[in-house]
Amino acid sequence: MNFLAHLLLSGSPANTPYYADVVVGNFAAEAVRGRAGLLAYPEPVQRGIRLHRFIDSFTDAHPAVRRTTARLREAGLGKWAGVVSDVGFDHLLARDFARYHPQEPLPDFAQRQYQLLHQRRYELPERLQEMLHYMRQHDWLTGYAHPEGLHRALLGLSRRVPAAGVLANGAAAFLKELPAYEADFAEFWPELRAAVDEIR
């Protein structure tokens, strides 16, 4: 899953012990490698890194996600199908955020996350500090709710990663068969949330 899903699955300030640490670890995990990288952080932040890794493993193994990535590979995305699936699912989560997280509007949730991460930005790997700046400036989390936000996110990735030019076509491929991806996400998301709730 992509940034919005990871942040939402970090829990809530009221119900998650060490919530801010879990959010920081879950976000930082994007650039934390191996056991040595994990152990460089305090134990509460490690919880977030482990949660991130669990979410990624669960997602990659889920049958609905495998259907999505297979369909995207057939659409010409090749090895980048998983990236398009992750960002596409964040689009669906953001678009229907009131359904999946009725406690808080998406713009309020997004601003709360930006503020928390900005306050603790120096704990993040350097490349994520820079990315967080652009994420806040351009409000990526709220932007995911719109097709143009999906396109912008994948186009940006296609420009930053030399071998990933095909991602420029990712939004069009995802939106072309949107009902199929909506069905996959509707099957997958409740099972992911339930699995996370069991381990958190």
Side-chain angles (χ1 to χ4, degrees), residues 178-189:
L178 189 59
Y181 298 125
E182 289 171 333
D184 288 345
F185 183 72
E187 175 185 336
F188 160 68
W189 179 255

Side-chain angles (χ1 to χ4, degrees), residues 58-169:
F58 185 94
T59 298
D60 291 344
H62 196 281
V65 178
R66 288 177 178 247
R67 284 198 303 272
T68 287
T69 53
R71 202 179 293 114
L72 288 165
R73 277 194 297 273
E74 291 171 8
L77 276 301
K79 69 179 183 178
W80 300 101
V83 174
V84 177
S85 172
D86 282 352
V87 182
F89 280 2
D90 254 17
H91 164 62
L92 298 178
L93 177 60
R95 188 194 69 183
D96 298 328
F97 197 76
R99 171 184 169 191
Y100 294 112
H101 189 66
Q103 302 90 331
E104 186 176 23
L106 176 58
D108 293 354
F109 175 83
Q111 291 305 318
R112 184 164 60 81
Q113 299 303 308
Y114 298 145
Q115 183 177 5
L116 188 163
L117 290 167
H118 179 71
Q119 288 172 347
R120 300 193 44 183
R121 62 194 179 278
Y122 296 117
E123 298 173 53
L124 301 172
E126 189 172 332
R127 75 175 179 87
L128 288 184
Q129 293 181 35
E130 182 179 350
M131 191 189 67
L132 176 63
H133 170 76
Y134 290 106
M135 178 182 281
R136 292 179 71 215
Q137 185 177 37
H138 299 288
D139 193 9
W140 290 3
L141 297 177
T142 304
Y144 285 145
H146 309 287
E148 58 269 27
L150 172 63
H151 175 70
R152 192 162 47 244
L154 291 169
L155 185 62
L157 280 168
S158 77
R159 290 171 174 165
R160 289 194 297 274
V161 181
V166 70
L167 288 176
N169 305 317

